Amino acid sequence: NPCFHILRVVKFRRTGESSRSDEDVISGEHEIQIEGVRTELEPVELEDGAAVPKEFANPTDDTFMVEDAVEAIGFGKFQWKLSVITGLAWASNYAMEMMILSILAPQLHCEWRLPSWQVALLTSVVFVGMMSSSSLWGNISDQYGRKTGLKISVLWTLYYGILSGFAPVYSWILVLRGLVGFGIGGVPQSVTLYAEFLPMKARAKCILLIEVFWAIGTVFEVLLAVLVMPTLGWRWLLILSALPLLLFAVLCFWLPESARYDVLSGNQEKAIATLKRIATDNGAPMPLGKLIISRQVCTGNRR
């Protein structure tokens, strides 16, 4: 048999008001049917201005999930700062490292007299690295946290991005750029972390606006190439292009771990501390009650 609860329905009536509403007069009904249980409406009189007793309130009012807290706190100062930091990761780790391929390949083609297939392989190896690592970074983030997975991928990309500038021969730069692509595969975790702190109304708009930072990153990379390539060469371009990742790695210490991840991993105190931090930054109150993972709905069969 399906699981159901017997609910006591209480009809509140202010003092001096008729116990019968217009709808009652029209329908002539004073009883309702809930899950096969016939329940009479019990009138309870309240003085003017009196609040509904807590015991008659919605039974879920004293609990909330992470998603409820994010919706209640809303969009504010915290999300603006998080937007900039996430955008920096998107610009430095994704846009710049990808844009540099169109600048590096022709330069090495002329300097090292590479055949066309080797130039194409230098570009393709980055995408192969991204493809092979995306599921790995996802598993790391699910097991150790969004923030942890993002930091490791950024430091990985920074390390091998700088080493690429010291590659002595083609085979070395081919391997090193492939390892850079392996690290870039973890960058989407920044958007995952970002989205879990966004209210529903702002989520689609903010995630799409991240693409603005892609354009900023590509423009910055072209300007950097115009300034660096004629005097310092492509090696310094690779090194300087990786330095914005260092800035993001430092800012990662400000980033909180996903509150949703903390709750699912059993660390509710840390999740509450994160939500309180967001509420303080936004100047909004925290929801009252107990933080829960989810609201269970009984739909199975009773044995």
Side-chain angles (χ1 to χ4, degrees), residues 75-86 194 198 206 209 213 254 282:
F75 191 94
K77 183 179 178 182
F78 175 85
Q79 281 80 8
W80 281 116
K81 291 189 289 186
L82 189 60
S83 299
V84 174
I85 295 177
T86 306
Y194 180 49
L198 291 174
C206 290
L209 285 176
F213 288 91
W254 176 88
N282 290 1

Side-chain angles (χ1 to χ4, degrees), residues 218-243:
T218 54
V219 171
F220 181 79
E221 183 64 33
V222 171
L223 294 177
L224 185 63
V226 170
L227 295 174
V228 173
M229 289 284 286
T231 55
L232 301 177
W234 61 269
R235 295 183 184 275
W236 274 102
L237 178 64
L238 290 177
I239 296 172
L240 294 176
S241 297
L243 291 183

Side-chain angles (χ1 to χ4, degrees), residues 93 137 148-158 183-187:
N93 207 343
W137 292 120
T148 301
L150 181 60
K151 284 196 301 184
I152 295 175
S153 68
V154 168
L155 292 174
W156 178 290
T157 307
L158 172 65
I184 294 176
V187 180

Side-chain angles (χ1 to χ4, degrees), residues 33-67:
Q33 192 79 13
I34 300 178
E35 293 287 343
V37 179
R38 194 171 181 83
T39 309
E40 294 186 357
L41 294 177
E42 177 185 349
V44 177
E45 293 193 5
L46 295 176
E47 297 294 336
D48 289 338
V52 176
K54 183 178 179 180
E55 56 267 24
F56 298 115
N58 186 337
T60 62
D61 283 347
D62 58 349
T63 61
F64 65 93
M65 298 184 298
V66 171
E67 292 81 359

Side-chain angles (χ1 to χ4, degrees), residues 2-8 34-37 39 296-298 302:
C3 179
F4 63 89
H5 299 281
I6 299 177
L7 302 178
R8 184 183 184 188
I34 300 178
E35 293 287 343
V37 179
T39 309
Q296 299 294 334
V297 180
C298 185
R302 181 179 294 173

Side-chain angles (χ1 to χ4, degrees), residues 274-303:
T274 299
L275 293 173
K276 287 181 177 179
R277 172 184 169 185
I278 301 172
T280 301
D281 280 357
N282 290 1
M286 269 283 292
L288 299 177
K290 180 182 178 181
L291 179 62
I292 60 175
I293 298 177
S294 62
R295 296 190 177 95
Q296 299 294 334
V297 180
C298 185
T299 58
N301 293 331
R302 181 179 294 173
R303 296 184 182 273

